[in-house]
Amino acid sequence: QVQLVESGGGLVQAGDSLRLSCAASGRTDSIHTMGWFRQAPGKEREFVAAISWSGGNTYYVDSVKGRFTISRDNAKNTAYLQMNSLKPEDTAVYYCAVDRNIRYRVSSSYRYDYWGQGTQVTVSS
């Protein structure tokens, strides 16, 4: 069992930055990949970024490449999402997730069995 808690969301203006964090507890030795997803009102949840827990390999959706950076601190069982040059279209609830079904690609929500409660990110024009 893995429990996840996101934090760091807020209301910012376009062009500003935010840093989200995701703290994991429980059986963290089972983590293979930690991912970030987001969901805007009326839209489906979409992949944002992911990082492998052991090797630190990173993956990003094209729309955030060059603006967002995912990182992790294994000792603290925490992953981070640094978001720069935020745009109004980045507005969403952001969720972190831990994978269990590793046969799925890292960008697939089906890969992940454990989800945080979400943190709201709102970017105004």
Side-chain angles (χ1 to χ4, degrees), residues 16-110:
D16 286 350
S17 298
L18 281 174
R19 191 189 194 194
L20 307 183
S21 64
C22 177
S25 61
R27 300 191 65 175
T28 57
D29 58 340
S30 66
I31 297 175
H32 299 280
T33 308
M34 185 169 289
W36 286 96
F37 291 76
R38 64 187 180 187
Q39 187 168 22
K43 298 183 179 179
E44 295 187 3
R45 189 168 299 184
E46 65 176 355
F47 171 78
V48 177
I51 186 168
S52 63
W53 212 243
S54 59
N57 300 312
T58 58
Y59 311 85
Y60 299 94
V61 67
D62 286 344
S63 61
V64 308
K65 288 181 178 178
R67 298 190 298 121
F68 291 9
T69 302
I70 188 171
S71 61
R72 90 265 196 247
D73 186 335
N74 298 68
K76 296 181 179 180
N77 296 316
T78 301
Y80 305 93
L81 185 67
Q82 178 67 45
M83 305 185 294
N84 298 327
S85 301
L86 283 164
K87 304 174 181 179
E89 49 263 45
D90 295 317
T91 296
V93 177
Y94 283 70
Y95 300 88
C96 66
V98 165
D99 61 333
R100 175 187 175 189
N101 303 307
I102 62 174
R103 286 172 289 184
Y104 291 92
R105 65 189 189 277
V106 297
S107 60
S108 172
S109 62
Y110 294 108

Side-chain angles (χ1 to χ4, degrees), residues 3-21:
Q3 296 79 45
L4 303 172
V5 179
E6 304 101 328
S7 62
L11 173 62
V12 298
Q13 295 181 343
D16 286 350
S17 298
L18 281 174
R19 191 189 194 194
L20 307 183
S21 64

